[in-house]
Amino acid sequence: MPTLKCPSCDIPLQLTDTTWHCDNGHRFDRARRGYTNLLLAQHRRSRSPGDDKAMVQARTAFLDLGRYQPLADELLNKLPAEPDGDWLDLGCGEGWYSEQFASQLGAEHGVGVDISKFAIDAAAKRNKQVTWLVASGARLPLFDECMQRVLVLFTRLFTDDIARVLKPGGELIVVGTGENHLMPLREALYEDVRQSGFDAGKFLDARFELIDSEEVQFEWTPENEQELQNLLTMTPHHWRAKPSAKADIGKLAGKTMPAHFVIQRYRKQ
């Protein structure tokens, strides 16, 4: 299990029974499900930051259909065949990808972090050996240069803290969406569809060297309106699109839906 850092005083945390504690007397109880909330109240912008319960349930229902398994398979192909150190899934959500990373990289070496307590609660159901934490990506409760690998899928890049926790020569894997991703859905939601592909290099700096960049594209057919509504709820379009447009996406059921992702790998200098 990776060593955790007290979010209050930055010294090591120790686990006794179901409580994490440090020598300065700060204590953090581990929830019955197996995760720990290390997000201090003064570091929250709202009472319950991150994805709400409905968003987590929608994403879980969609991902459990296996529609994005080709992306997960390609990511697994880029990981070592044997565990080679501690790893972090930053913005892990409900843990669908994390669980697959754990099967290859070793669950006991893994940390899943998300700012949403609902997401981490769902993730903790998937694997009891991964260290699941409610925490901010800008204030990771991890020590300097402790991670061999950091994975960031579809979430904000906290460049400074990622650089801080990665070992020299450690690997950062970032996944974003490509120009054609969910194009029929986007065309149904907006009159003017923006074409923009993801590039992590816009957010990183000289501390990271690009190893390779790959586009992954495939198609599937949504079976019904509920699947489409779950898909919509787990994307930013859920917040941006007009209610009238969102209510009409059931017409896309039974029609081909393209997925387009960009996987970029970086090495910390």
Side-chain angles (χ1 to χ4, degrees):
M1 179 181 295
T3 301
L4 303 184
K5 181 173 69 171
C6 177
S8 295
C9 63
D10 293 343
I11 67 173
L13 288 173
Q14 304 168 47
L15 180 63
T16 302
D17 295 327
T18 59
T19 300
W20 289 96
H21 58 92
C22 72
D23 289 345
N24 287 332
H26 300 117
R27 300 171 65 86
F28 306 89
D29 291 331
R30 190 164 66 170
R32 182 179 301 178
R33 192 88 72 190
Y35 69 89
T36 306
N37 191 335
L38 296 182
L39 182 63
L40 300 181
Q42 61 265 35
H43 296 155
R44 297 186 313 213
R45 294 185 177 180
S46 65
R47 174 175 288 185
S48 184
D51 292 348
D52 61 27
K53 192 172 185 178
M55 294 179 69
V56 171
Q57 289 175 338
R59 189 165 58 240
T60 299
F62 177 80
L63 290 174
D64 282 348
L65 294 174
R67 303 304 195 197
Y68 285 0
Q69 190 60 48
L71 170 62
D73 290 342
E74 191 58 37
L75 286 168
L76 293 173
N77 287 337
K78 294 183 178 299
L79 299 178
E82 300 290 339
D84 65 345
D86 291 340
W87 55 275
L88 166 66
D89 187 358
L90 180 54
C92 64
E94 76 310 309
W96 187 79
Y97 293 98
S98 314
E99 182 181 26
Q100 299 188 61
F101 300 152
S103 67
Q104 192 155 321
L105 296 175
E108 68 278 11
H109 299 293
V111 177
V113 168
D114 202 282
I115 201 169
S116 166
K117 66 179 181 181
F118 299 109
I120 289 294
D121 182 72
K125 298 177 185 178
R126 295 184 179 272
N127 192 304
K128 301 301 182 184
Q129 290 182 291
V130 173
T131 301
W132 302 106
L133 303 175
V134 179
S136 167
R139 296 181 178 87
L140 291 168
L142 301 168
F143 286 95
D144 295 0
E145 299 183 355
C146 65
M147 290 289 154
Q148 181 62 34
R149 187 168 284 100
V150 175
L151 303 107
V152 183
L153 281 64
F154 315 116
T155 193
R156 178 180 172 185
L157 278 167
F158 296 94
T159 304
D160 287 340
D161 239 33
I162 291 172
R164 181 181 65 79
V165 302
L166 260 180
K167 295 178 179 179
E171 187 173 299
L172 168 64
I173 299 179
V174 188
V175 181
T177 55
E179 293 183 355
N180 298 321
H181 188 59
L182 307 182
M183 183 58 76
L185 177 62
R186 291 156 59 198
E187 290 175 339
L189 294 174
Y190 308 109
E191 294 182 3
D192 182 20
V193 178
R194 295 180 179 179
Q195 294 278 49
S196 59
F198 177 77
D199 180 10
K202 296 177 181 178
F203 309 98
L204 300 176
D205 54 34
R207 290 173 290 184
F208 297 90
E209 176 190 10
L210 181 65
I211 301 173
D212 61 53
S213 181
E214 176 187 358
E215 297 190 22
V216 178
Q217 299 191 60
F218 54 90
E219 298 177 337
W220 86 95
T221 303
E223 293 184 355
N224 50 50
E225 182 176 356
Q226 186 60 59
E227 179 180 340
L228 287 159
Q229 290 293 345
N230 288 337
L231 173 62
L232 174 62
T233 302
M234 62 183 260
T235 72
H237 307 301
H238 174 66
W239 305 107
R240 298 172 184 165
K242 296 179 180 179
S244 58
K246 293 191 290 184
D248 199 33
I249 63 171
K251 65 185 180 183
L252 299 175
K255 299 181 180 180
T256 300
M257 184 68 67
H260 184 186
F261 302 105
V262 179
I263 304 175
Q264 293 177 307
R265 297 167 59 225
Y266 291 85
R267 180 179 294 110
K268 181 187 171 184
Q269 299 285 59

